[in-house]
Amino acid sequence: NNSSRSLWDHILNFNSDNILVVSMQPLENEHAIIVHVREISGNITPIKITSNYLPYLTIQEVNALNQRILDNPAHLKPYESKFLKILLP
């Protein structure tokens, strides 16, 4: 759906069209959002996220329970799905 893709692009900008935003939601007790992303073209894809509203984003890979796995995840493997925690200033 192009209209929902356009909405996500205004909040967060992803470096590649083959990264699908599955869901995005704020965390209740933290100044952060969780973004569930998936690689959809079968290629290794670098993860680079920018925002038109924030000059710098701190990004962590987390599991479904919001437990940190890795700071600054570098890429998505083909068809891989990840949860990214974006810490807001």
Side-chain angles (χ1 to χ4, degrees):
N1 182 327
N2 287 336
S3 63
S4 64
R5 175 68 187 213
S6 174
L7 174 64
W8 292 121
D9 284 345
H10 289 298
I11 298 168
L12 297 174
N13 303 304
F14 292 82
N15 61 309
S16 179
D17 287 338
N18 60 318
I19 296 177
L20 172 70
V21 175
V22 177
S23 66
M24 182 169 114
Q25 70 180 63
L27 289 171
E28 288 185 25
N29 299 322
E30 297 181 51
H31 202 59
I33 56 176
I34 295 288
V35 182
H36 181 193
V37 296
R38 181 173 298 137
E39 194 289 320
I40 59 172
S41 71
N43 297 305
I44 295 173
T45 303
I47 297 173
K48 182 177 180 193
I49 305 170
T50 59
S51 172
N52 296 334
Y53 303 102
L54 302 168
Y56 180 77
L57 299 175
T58 301
I59 302 169
Q60 299 172 343
E61 181 182 347
V62 296
N63 63 18
L65 300 175
N66 190 26
Q67 298 166 330
R68 184 177 3 175
I69 298 171
L70 180 68
D71 289 336
N72 300 313
H75 65 273
L76 288 166
K77 295 176 186 171
Y79 306 109
E80 184 178 28
S81 183
K82 287 188 180 191
F83 292 95
L84 304 175
K85 180 178 184 178
I86 300 175
L87 304 173
L88 303 172

